Amino acid sequence: MQQKIIILDFGSQTTQLIGRRLRELDTFCEILPYNKMPKDDPDVIGVILSGSPLSVYDDGAFQVDLSDIRGRYPILGICYGAQYMSHALGGKVEPAGSREYGRANLEYIDTTDPLFRGFEPGSQVWMSHGDTITAIPAGFHRIASTSTVHFAAYAADSEPIWGVQFHPEVFHSLQGTQLLRNFVVDICGGQQDWSPASFVETTVQQLKEQLGNDRVILGLSGGVDSSVAAVLLNRAIGRNLTCIFVDHGMLRKDEFRKVLNDYECLGLNVVGVDASTKFFADLQGVREPEAKRKIIGRDFVEVFNAEAKKITDAKWLAQGTIYPDRIESLNITGKTIKSHHNVGGLPEEMQLSLCEPLQWLFKDEVRRVGYELGMPEHLIKRHPFPGPGLAVRILGDITPEKVAVLQEADDIFIQGLWNWRCDDGERLYDKVWQAGAILLSDVRSVGVMGDERTYEHPVALRAVTSMDAMTADWAHLPYEFLAQVSNDIINKVKGVNRVCYDISSKPPATIEWE
Ligand code: XMP
């Protein structure tokens, strides 16, 4: 039995964060669309209703049949979840006048309530809501208030139902983790028994049983997810795993060679395929971002498949898919911003079954598993990198020469981040979610070097902080660091005479420029 908490998603940006917080408490949870509550799953020990960008009064506001869960599991409603329950059970929700956004303090807390066990008076919480609860249903009572929100939290008198208008999952709710622990452990009886060591042990055992003596193919990207999946599978089935690592020519400087070497040191059975000539030829003259992505995606499938077909008796395709890739998030707008998934299907005649050993893990859990497996730090801490590589960081058409220029600039930036120690001793690299350089190859500007006039290209630097790449803030890198990197790039990289720093957040910008 694997105890789990179900998080029903009403489309809030912070739903995944609730999941991560529970996992940090070593408790297993599943995030499901609000209308997909599993029927009769004996492993469920509690339910959380998430926030939402919608108001309970909006046309098409998401509704859930509470009778499916009420009386069967403890329930915690967060923001919209709390408003929805109050509204549905006979309380009152009204527009708050102005949107309540930001820090607030709980001026009244009922510390005898199990949800608030251990809370300090005045505890800081994070609010973000347009509606507010103005009356709670009969049979419920108030358990916390701020100076402006009377029903900041409520509980049912005689059944295990709680609602909080603030967001305990957000870092600025300083005792948010305590609240979630109170709910999950004390109220739901969660045993907190997830650990990387137990995950490795049970997964290796399951993989041995599932795969037996079968041959398995896995595409490596150099990223942490596929690498951890490969090492895990290698531990379970050894040489029956063949890894394929394709170089499309637009990886970082020396990345193909270095990463291939890392993989070999880890004892992986890995085939490196240098297909850069094909990719450069097919991309020649192509400038439009989506067209570039499509060509790279198509070529990648072709090259990968040609290699995979050589393993004629393969039965499985393994992938480093992780949980956030699979969460069926509620896309309120229904629009595609960028096509991300650039690895298409395998030839049907191969009839491979899918094996995804990391499918339940969040990124930070994958990293913890990586450490448990003894993988090197630089491989585990590696920033995310887009599948199409530097192709989406060269604005304009792609040539090997432009890639070489960008690789040099990018390498100076990334090495700089890795080598720069912050006051707390941590690497600057570890403080950012992801970073890279962008070559504005269609733009030229005038500069002066020595006595010579130059007329060359700018490079933009991009570094962001983020939890999950869905939203991101530009990283506030120290000026001294930026000055040093700018100097190094302009002095050392031929063809670049200007460096800019991108100070756009996502949204409205995206992390990649294309
Ligand atoms: P954006 O630019 O949409 O990127 O803010 C969000 C995250 O996705 C990465 N990214 C990709 N990853 N294939 C990938 O595997 C792709 O085609 C791709 N495009 C963007 C990006 O680096 C960031 O981490």
Side-chain angles (χ1 to χ4, degrees):
M1 154 153 179
Q2 159 108 75
Q3 288 186 326
K4 62 180 152 193
I5 301 277
I6 299 293
I7 300 164
L8 292 181
D9 180 19
F10 290 95
S12 162
Q13 296 237 350
T14 56
T15 303
Q16 279 203 28
L17 215 45
I18 307 173
R20 288 181 39 146
R21 291 280 170 268
L22 296 203
R23 296 293 186 83
E24 280 163 22
L25 294 169
D26 296 331
T27 302
F28 189 71
C29 61
E30 264 185 66
I31 299 174
L32 297 171
Y34 68 97
N35 54 359
K36 299 264 174 73
M37 179 69 202
K39 298 248 181 290
D40 304 320
D41 180 341
D43 296 343
V44 177
I45 57 169
V47 177
I48 294 180
L49 308 182
S50 84
S52 173
L54 302 177
S55 151
V56 292
Y57 293 113
D58 282 344
D59 290 341
F62 301 134
Q63 316 226 353
V64 61
D65 187 356
L66 290 174
S67 63
D68 281 349
I69 45 179
R70 193 175 173 193
R72 300 181 66 190
Y73 314 104
I75 308 174
L76 171 64
I78 293 177
C79 196
Y80 177 92
Q83 292 164 4
Y84 179 79
M85 282 197 295
S86 171
H87 176 68
L89 301 175
K92 200 162 180 195
V93 174
E94 293 180 271
S98 63
R99 190 173 172 77
E100 311 233 46
Y101 184 82
R103 294 175 180 81
N105 296 89
L106 295 180
E107 294 188 346
Y108 162 73
I109 305 173
D110 177 355
T111 43
T112 63
D113 190 282
L115 195 67
F116 285 118
R117 189 180 58 80
F119 261 61
E120 314 276 337
S123 191
Q124 178 183 301
V125 294
W126 183 257
M127 291 284 184
S128 174
H129 56 105
D131 287 349
T132 194
I133 298 168
T134 50
I136 49 177
F140 284 66
H141 58 279
R142 175 177 68 111
I143 53 172
S145 304
T146 69
S147 59
T148 51
V149 181
H150 186 61
F151 295 109
Y154 64 76
D157 300 345
S158 53
E159 55 180 320
I161 298 183
W162 287 262
V164 293
Q165 289 245 22
F166 54 89
H167 286 270
E169 70 279 19
V170 171
F171 169 75
H172 302 288
S173 288
L174 297 181
Q175 291 189 280
T177 302
Q178 174 76 31
L179 185 146
L180 292 171
R181 179 187 291 114
N182 291 344
F183 180 70
V184 168
V185 180
D186 298 351
I187 296 173
C188 300
Q191 280 163 8
Q192 299 185 282
D193 50 6
W194 192 93
S195 73
S198 66
F199 174 83
V200 170
E201 194 188 315
T202 49
T203 309
V204 165
Q205 192 51 38
Q206 278 166 5
L207 288 171
K208 279 185 177 161
E209 285 163 20
Q210 182 185 23
L211 304 172
N213 236 340
D214 293 350
R215 296 282 299 269
V216 180
I217 302 172
L218 178 141
L220 283 171
S221 68
V224 58
D225 304 341
S226 63
S227 306
V228 170
V231 175
L232 203 53
L233 276 151
N234 185 51
R235 194 170 276 196
I237 60 166
R239 305 304 282 179
N240 274 345
L241 171 71
T242 305
C243 304
I244 301 172
F245 182 28
V246 177
D247 182 6
H248 52 32
M250 287 151 289
L251 296 172
R252 295 194 138 121
K253 184 182 174 186
D254 290 334
E255 192 174 18
F256 185 59
R257 190 180 53 74
K258 282 189 194 155
V259 173
L260 208 51
N261 183 49
D262 281 338
Y263 287 148
E264 281 161 2
C265 291
L266 285 164
L268 297 180
N269 176 16
V270 53
V271 183
V273 188
D274 177 358
S276 48
T277 315
K278 174 181 174 57
F279 281 87
F280 281 126
D282 291 349
L283 281 168
Q284 204 175 9
V286 179
R287 313 171 54 82
E288 207 280 315
E290 280 299 294
K292 287 184 196 170
R293 282 173 177 276
K294 295 244 155 62
I295 291 169
I296 294 172
R298 183 201 65 203
D299 282 4
F300 187 91
V301 171
E302 233 178 275
V303 172
F304 186 85
N305 289 357
E307 206 53 50
K309 274 186 180 170
K310 293 182 189 162
I311 303 159
T312 49
D313 55 346
K315 294 251 168 44
W316 298 84
L317 174 71
Q319 287 184 338
T321 318
I322 66 169
Y323 194 40
D325 304 334
R326 297 171 46 243
I327 297 176
E328 206 182 314
S329 44
L330 300 169
N331 185 346
I332 307 289
T333 65
K335 292 196 187 109
T336 303
I337 311 291
K338 289 180 199 178
S339 51
H340 274 185
H341 292 284
N342 48 340
V343 180
L346 278 164
E348 283 200 359
E349 70 265 25
M350 289 189 73
Q351 294 199 329
L352 299 176
S353 310
L354 211 54
C355 169
E356 298 179 314
L358 309 180
Q359 61 173 317
W360 290 108
L361 303 191
F362 283 95
K363 195 90 175 177
D364 28 5
E365 293 171 318
V366 175
R367 293 203 163 107
R368 282 166 74 190
V369 168
Y371 282 117
E372 179 66 32
L373 290 165
M375 293 170 63
E377 190 187 27
H378 65 269
L379 211 54
I380 295 174
K381 287 192 164 173
R382 190 177 283 258
H383 289 161
F385 186 66
L390 300 181
V392 291
R393 295 183 181 170
I394 293 173
L395 274 55
D397 63 330
I398 315 283
T399 64
E401 294 72 30
K402 289 183 187 177
V403 170
V405 169
L406 183 55
Q407 281 177 333
E408 290 302 325
D410 177 78
D411 191 55
I412 290 172
F413 185 33
I414 299 300
Q415 290 299 328
L417 286 167
W418 185 263
N419 293 331
W420 186 277
R421 292 283 178 176
C422 302
D423 291 342
D424 60 5
E426 213 186 351
R427 295 180 193 282
L428 197 49
Y429 184 92
D430 295 336
K431 299 229 187 255
V432 306
W433 163 267
Q434 120 177 62
I438 297 100
L439 182 65
L440 310 189
S441 69
D442 284 350
V443 179
R444 293 171 111 195
S445 75
V446 175
V448 57
M449 200 151 200
D451 293 332
E452 297 287 317
R453 174 188 190 270
T454 59
Y455 189 47
E456 292 172 331
H457 304 293
V459 152
L461 304 180
R462 179 96 168 119
V464 297
T465 53
S466 177
M467 296 301 276
D468 52 15
M470 302 283 284
T471 61
D473 194 7
W474 58 276
H476 295 216
L477 300 179
Y479 281 174
E480 305 72 37
F481 169 76
L482 287 170
Q484 182 186 306
V485 170
S486 163
N487 253 337
D488 277 0
I489 291 178
I490 293 171
N491 287 330
K492 293 182 188 155
V493 184
K494 213 163 166 295
V496 175
N497 67 348
R498 210 171 274 270
V499 171
C500 311
Y501 187 53
D502 181 352
I503 52 168
S504 336
S505 293
K506 173 184 179 178
T510 51
I511 296 176
E512 304 297 341
W513 279 41
E514 289 195 338

